[in-house]
């Protein structure tokens, strides 16, 4: 892992005092490899490495007795600050309407249940809306998720229009005295213009206070492309990173934050409805740095 | 001397960016760049550069003689596995249509007895294809559904039995053991099966794709990769590393959400698309 690598890299310097630019270059090459292997976008890696380099040269790492540890600490802090900041985006009581969006298979439908469960346990009345009329048995899936959690689901199999279903769901939400409405949508490609038009229309008719981009944590370099595209189309408010129970390092978290400015708010850590946590930047950083 | 100083730093960086963006990974990118630098071409000539690059990329896909579909005995059993949401169930629908059009009698086994509406999902696809599907009740042991399906396929003169499995993380040993159990169940009746074991891999996957392939291969042995969602902007470059380092051929590509959005993997067009 990186810590051991740096201990070795820098241990020859103890007693010789200063770190040279060459030592730092070697260390940064290792960092670069680690971050690329962790699927952080290469453009983001470049900027990050430069920031760390400037930071190191201007700091007391250079004259420290334990430069390896200092270096790691600096890396860590730099990355945590990269991932933090932005508005805290967890659901508040006046966030009545929540829109879930993202690419195919990222975990939206499952995450609707997870989010619904968290809010329900806070004593709120939840309605979920099945606005995926495209995938086979998508409505069945959300209904089964709702049944398992005892959360109401609005669906209309007769309506062949996701935008109209969303509209009806808002009406049901208002009439039914619910606290939160979670709208599930079909997975879509950012390069599918008709589907991107659909999600924009859904946003317009439901006027959500929270829009979550649900992304698979094992996404590679393409994370910046899809996230950027969705952000330009919808101005989403936060990111939910799923499937972190695998062994992916999850560098997409950094890439997405960097290109959209939007933070990861929640993470999915398994297939069950309870496998859902609030995002902690420092935990993610340890994971990314391996 | 066309060689070491043939490629300037700017060109090298540009090349590296194209390769990294394609998810080939840093080590693979560096190897490819080294090869291109050594190539006996005019490195200032854009067309020659692209040709050399494409040639180098294609060398990663060295298993052309293993790429064709291998169906042994009847019913040939084909197993689809992979992590959650990669596109297994949809790929099975496409693959089944392809086989049906070749005149083969296909049957599906719905061995995802875990996920909400997994059984309903595969039933819709089977209905559209007008092919039989054997399913269990929710929560049933996937191996027992596989057993029933195999029994039925044997008695109904089926050419190809395709088994859908639940998505799972490769890091969960008990779930990986579940796959072994499905395979052992099939082998009880026919030791030559399964004919194929396909890893269904989302083309947007980064370097974790190698870990996925490694783990699945370790536990159950993979005979091919299906690379899905290639109709997006991801290039699927992790496939280079998988075929080269694990010796598992990429066999099919998923290009959308409908039946016909499926084709055999062609290294030439894949590498062409990667560098564009
Ligand atoms: N291991 C794991 N699996 C997850 C997680 N979140 C979702 N899944 C699984 O990922 C797969 C896809 O989840 P879905 O909820 O159907 O994804 P989706 O985004 O709604 O898919 P589409 O509607 O087709 O775009 C399912 O097998 C889920 O059980 C997670 O955090 N960890
Ligand atoms: N654009 C595109 N979407 C695809 C492709 N293959 C599958 N999908 C979509 O990806 C999503 C997940 O597909 P599934 O077939 O349910 O994936 P799965 O691996 O069976 O999922 P689990 O069983 O939950 O692990 C669905 O929305 C599919 O329509 C493809 O090649 N291109
Ligand atoms: Mg869904
Ligand atoms: Mg499936």
């Amino acid at each position: 892992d990186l810590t051991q690598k740096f201990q070795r890299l820098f241990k020859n310097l103890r007693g010789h005092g200063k770190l040279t630019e060459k030592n730092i270059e070697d260390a940064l090459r290792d960092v670069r490899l680690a971050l690329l292997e962790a699927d952080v976008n290469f453009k983001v890696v470049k900027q990050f490495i430069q920031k760390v380099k400037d930071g190191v040269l201007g700091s007391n790492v250079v004259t420290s007795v334990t430069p390896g540890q200092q270096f790691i600490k600096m890396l860590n802090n730099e990355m945590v600050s990269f991932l933090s900041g932005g508005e805290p985006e967890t659901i508040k009581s006046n966030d009545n309407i929540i829109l879930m969006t993202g690419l195919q298979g990222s975990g939206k439908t499952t995450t609707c249940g997870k989010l619904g469960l968290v809010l329900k346990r806070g004593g709120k009345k939840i309605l979920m809306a099945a606005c995926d009329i495209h995938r086979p048995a998508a409505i069945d899936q959300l209904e089964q998720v709702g049944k398992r959690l005892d959360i109401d689901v609005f669906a209309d199999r007769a309506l062949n229009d996701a935008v109209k279903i969303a509209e009806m769901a808002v009406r049901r939400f208002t009439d039914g005295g619910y606290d939160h409405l979670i709208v599930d949508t079909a997975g879509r490609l950012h390069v599918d213009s008709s589907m991107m038009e659909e999600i924009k229309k859904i946003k317009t008719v439901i006027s959500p206070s929270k829009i979550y981009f649900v992304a698979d944590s094992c996404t590679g370099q393409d994370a910046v492309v899809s996230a950027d595209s969705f952000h330009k189309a919808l101005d989403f408010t936060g990111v939910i990173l799923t499937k972190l129970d695998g062994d992916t390092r999850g560098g997409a978290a950094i890439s997405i934050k960097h290109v959209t400015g939007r933070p990861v708010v929640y993470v999915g850590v398994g297939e069950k409805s309870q496998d859902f946590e609030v995002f902690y930047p420092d935990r993610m950083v340890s994971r990314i740095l391996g | 001397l066309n060689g070491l100083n043939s490629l300037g730093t700017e060109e090298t960086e540009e090349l590296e960016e194209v390769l990294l963006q394609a998810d080939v990974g840093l080590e693979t990118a560096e190897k490819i760049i080294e090869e291109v630098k050594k190539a006996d071409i005019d490195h200032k000539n854009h067309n020659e550069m692209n040709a050399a690059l494409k040639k180098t990329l294609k060398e990663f896909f060295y298993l052309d003689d293993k790429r064709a579909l291998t169906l042994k005995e009847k019913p040939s059993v084909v197993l689809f596995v992979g992590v959650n949401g990669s596109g297994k169930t949809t790929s099975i629908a496409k693959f089944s249509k392809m086989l049906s059009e070749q005149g083969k009698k296909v049957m599906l086994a719905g061995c995802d007895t875990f996920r909400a509406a997994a059984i309903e999902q595969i039933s819709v696809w089977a209905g559209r294809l007008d092919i039989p599907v054997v399913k269990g009740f929710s929560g049933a042991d996937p191996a027992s559904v596989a057993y029933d399906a195999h029994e039925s396929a044997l008695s109904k003169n089926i050419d190809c039995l395709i088994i859908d499995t639940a998505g799972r993380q490769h890091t969960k040993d008990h779930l990986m053991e579940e796959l072994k159990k499905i395979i052992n169940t099939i082998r009880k009746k026919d030791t030559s099966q399964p004919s194929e074991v396909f890893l269904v891999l989302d083309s947007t996957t980064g370097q974790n794709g190698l870990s996925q392939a490694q783990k699945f291969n370790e536990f159950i042995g993979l005979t091919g990769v299906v690379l899905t969602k290639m109709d997006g902007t991801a290039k699927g470059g992790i496939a280079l590393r998988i075929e080269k380092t694990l010796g598992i051929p990429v066999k099919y590509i998923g290009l959308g959400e409908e039946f016909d959005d499926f084709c055999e993997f062609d290294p030439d067009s894949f590498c062409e698309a990667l560098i564009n």
Side-chain angles (χ1 to χ4, degrees), chain A residues 32 37 39 41-42 46 104 134-135 141 144 189-190 218-222 243 245-248 271, chain B residues 13 16-17 20-21 23 84 115 117 120 169-170 172 204 206-208 211 229 231 233 241 257:
Chain A
R32 181 171 185 250
E37 276 294 298
D39 292 319
N41 184 263
F42 71 89
K46 202 170 180 176
Q104 289 89 347
H134 173 69
R135 166 176 157 153
Q141 187 184 359
Q144 287 184 15
L189 292 178
H190 45 295
C218 75
T219 310
Q221 300 290 310
D222 198 58
K243 307 175 202 171
D245 46 310
D247 61 354
T248 187
E271 298 191 64
Chain B
E13 261 194 48
E16 192 181 63
E17 293 193 355
L20 288 177
Q21 182 64 33
D23 284 315
N84 308 82
R115 206 207 68 212
E120 287 82 344
Q169 292 299 318
H170 48 295
K172 299 189 174 157
T204 64
Q207 300 310 300
N208 190 247
S211 173
K229 308 176 197 173
D231 45 321
T233 48
R241 240 178 135 182
E257 304 189 67

Side-chain angles (χ1 to χ4, degrees), chain B residues 58 61-68 243 249-250 265-268:
Chain B
K58 279 177 74 172
F61 297 112
Y62 69 110
L63 295 170
D64 275 339
D65 57 342
K66 284 213 205 138
R67 221 173 286 291
E243 181 154 327
V250 182
F265 177 71
D266 170 27
D268 194 273

Side-chain angles (χ1 to χ4, degrees), chain B residues 175-249:
Chain B
L175 295 181
M176 300 302 285
E177 291 292 343
E178 183 182 87
L179 288 178
K180 265 199 199 163
K181 193 170 171 213
I182 293 175
I183 291 179
N184 291 338
T185 302
I186 299 293
R187 287 204 174 128
K188 287 204 184 89
K189 288 212 204 313
D190 183 350
T191 55
S192 74
Q193 302 300 331
S195 298
E196 297 272 11
V197 179
F198 291 148
L199 174 71
V200 179
L201 182 67
D202 188 324
S203 64
T204 64
T205 308
Q207 300 310 300
N208 190 247
L210 185 66
S211 173
Q212 292 176 23
Q214 245 159 4
K215 264 307 195 48
F216 276 96
N217 196 37
E218 245 170 69
F219 266 86
I220 60 172
L222 299 171
T223 63
V225 173
V226 176
L227 201 56
T228 62
K229 308 176 197 173
M230 285 292 287
D231 45 321
T233 48
K235 301 290 185 173
I238 192 63
L240 270 83
R241 240 178 135 182
I242 291 175
E243 181 154 327
K244 187 69 195 273
T245 57
L246 299 179
I248 304 165

Side-chain angles (χ1 to χ4, degrees), chain B residues 101-141:
Chain B
E101 284 174 348
Q102 292 170 7
K104 297 220 162 56
K105 252 184 123 196
V106 180
M107 172 185 277
L108 303 185
C111 293
D112 180 353
T113 54
F114 172 76
R115 206 207 68 212
I119 296 169
E120 287 82 344
Q121 185 185 8
I122 197 166
S123 302
V124 170
W125 283 117
R128 288 180 186 176
L129 288 163
D130 192 23
I131 61 178
V133 54
V134 172
K135 31 195 195 215
F137 53 86
S138 167
D141 176 10

Side-chain angles (χ1 to χ4, degrees), chain A residues 120-131:
Chain A
K120 181 172 179 236
R121 283 185 171 158
K124 304 295 184 176
K125 191 169 176 214
I126 313 298
L127 178 66
M128 301 193 293
C131 294

Side-chain angles (χ1 to χ4, degrees), chain A residues 32, chain B residues 3-4 6-20 24-39 41 43 49 52-53 56-57 60:
Chain A
R32 181 171 185 250
Chain B
L4 308 169
S6 51
L7 214 58
T9 9
E10 204 181 300
E11 290 100 320
T12 306
E13 261 194 48
E14 271 177 39
L15 187 48
E16 192 181 63
E17 293 193 355
V18 167
L19 294 171
L20 288 177
V24 306
L26 182 60
E27 285 187 36
T28 300
E30 290 178 336
K31 284 199 191 94
I32 293 169
I33 291 170
E34 276 314 299
E35 284 301 307
V36 170
K37 276 184 175 172
K38 285 193 273 163
I41 57 166
H43 289 80
M49 269 290 286
L53 180 56
T56 309
L57 288 170
F60 283 81

